[in-house]
Amino acid sequence: MKKTKVKDIFSNFRKINNVTNKFNLNKGKVKKSKGLHFKLLQSMFLISIIPIIIICSVAFIKINDITNSNFKSSSTASTLGTKKLLDSEFESIINILISFSKKDIFKSGNLSPKSTIEEFPEIKNDLKLIKESNGAILSIDFAFDKSKSYYSYPEKTVSSDFNPTATTAYKGGAGFANAGNGSGVYEGIAYISNIYKSPVTNTDCVAISYGILKDKKCVGVISVDLDLNAISKTLTNILDADNNSEFILCDIEGQVIASTNEKIIGTKAVSEY
């Protein structure tokens, strides 16, 4: 009886052990199955995500190219716009000087080498009108060549031995007028000076002068002093109204002529940019 019980116990133990082994075997298969399933999902994810990464990279490059292109186009348009505005400002003044040079008094026979401004009161009136027509004009001057008769508006205090024909502005305007032996090859070309400080307002200026011809000879020169700060403010107001842009305009030597930053006008601070 005891032997039978022992056998039964051993038999039951073997059965339990067999069941446990089968369970562990099935468990290993499940783990392997789950591992294969995870790897399959991982592979599918990588296969699907790689094209998306490529598409996004290409899109980013194209968007960057378009942005850079738009920026360059905008910068070029802004530069050209500023140039047109500045050209327009100078051209309008030059056209006024040219119009003045074509007055009848400079073509008539009443004009002689000894003529003075006092003989032609309309000259004074015209100079005043020109000055008051443009806020950037600080002053306007006129001088006859032979008599050296001189007038400025507003009137400037000059010494008794002042020679208006010896000034840089006069020589510049007369130089273009006399160039080509009076052939008129330089007709319509005005002289524009380098930047200088106005002795009256202590602001940065340039002079624009134009020689007046009669019988192919220069008989006088009209010139204006332009306030660069006023021109800069005009440009700034126009550009700010368009796109709130910032600009720096300099001459060939790097000196700032106009800018949204008034502190650098008249300096060579453009080299810092």
Side-chain angles (χ1 to χ4, degrees), residues 32-242:
K32 287 182 180 180
S33 176
K34 284 184 178 180
L36 291 172
H37 184 64
F38 175 77
K39 288 182 180 179
L40 181 62
L41 288 175
Q42 190 178 41
S43 300
M44 291 177 66
F45 175 76
L46 291 174
I47 291 170
S48 62
I49 199 68
I50 288 173
I52 295 174
I53 294 172
I54 294 172
I55 292 171
C56 289
S57 299
V58 172
F60 174 78
I61 293 170
K62 287 187 178 270
I63 290 171
N64 190 51
D65 289 342
I66 292 171
T67 302
N68 289 335
S69 177
N70 289 341
F71 175 75
K72 289 177 182 178
S73 299
S74 176
S75 298
T76 302
S78 180
T79 302
L80 292 174
T82 304
K83 181 181 180 301
K84 286 181 179 178
L85 289 171
L86 190 64
D87 287 346
S88 177
E89 184 75 19
F90 278 75
E91 285 175 6
S92 65
I93 293 172
I94 292 171
N95 288 335
I96 290 173
L97 302 186
I98 293 173
S99 179
F100 176 84
S101 73
K102 294 180 178 179
K103 290 180 68 67
D104 291 338
I105 59 174
F106 301 120
K107 310 300 179 184
S108 68
N110 296 329
L111 195 64
S112 70
K114 294 182 180 181
S115 293
T116 65
I117 293 174
E118 301 304 325
E119 298 174 37
F120 306 98
E122 60 266 41
I123 290 179
K124 291 184 178 182
N125 185 55
D126 286 345
L127 295 182
K128 181 178 179 180
L129 291 174
I130 293 172
K131 161 67 176 74
E132 294 176 349
S133 69
N134 191 313
I137 298 177
L138 286 174
S139 62
I140 183 164
D141 303 72
F142 176 80
F144 280 116
D145 187 70
K146 297 299 181 182
S147 67
K148 296 179 175 53
S149 179
Y150 169 78
Y151 177 76
S152 67
Y153 183 83
E155 292 190 39
K156 299 175 183 176
T157 302
V158 296
S159 62
S160 58
D161 60 346
F162 173 68
N163 181 5
T165 63
T167 64
T168 302
Y170 188 97
K171 290 179 178 179
F176 278 118
N178 289 323
N181 297 319
S183 63
V185 66
Y186 292 104
E187 186 176 0
I189 299 178
Y191 166 80
I192 301 177
S193 73
N194 291 327
I195 299 173
Y196 64 94
K197 285 282 186 183
S198 168
V200 179
T201 61
N202 197 39
T203 56
D204 296 301
C205 303
V206 292
I208 300 179
S209 57
Y210 188 78
I212 300 169
L213 286 174
K214 182 181 185 294
D215 299 330
K216 297 183 179 181
K217 292 181 180 180
C218 180
V219 295
V221 170
I222 180 174
S223 65
V224 296
D225 296 327
L226 285 184
D227 183 358
L228 293 179
N229 287 344
I231 294 175
S232 180
K233 287 178 181 178
T234 300
L235 290 174
T236 300
N237 291 337
I238 294 173
L239 292 173
D240 280 349
D242 290 340

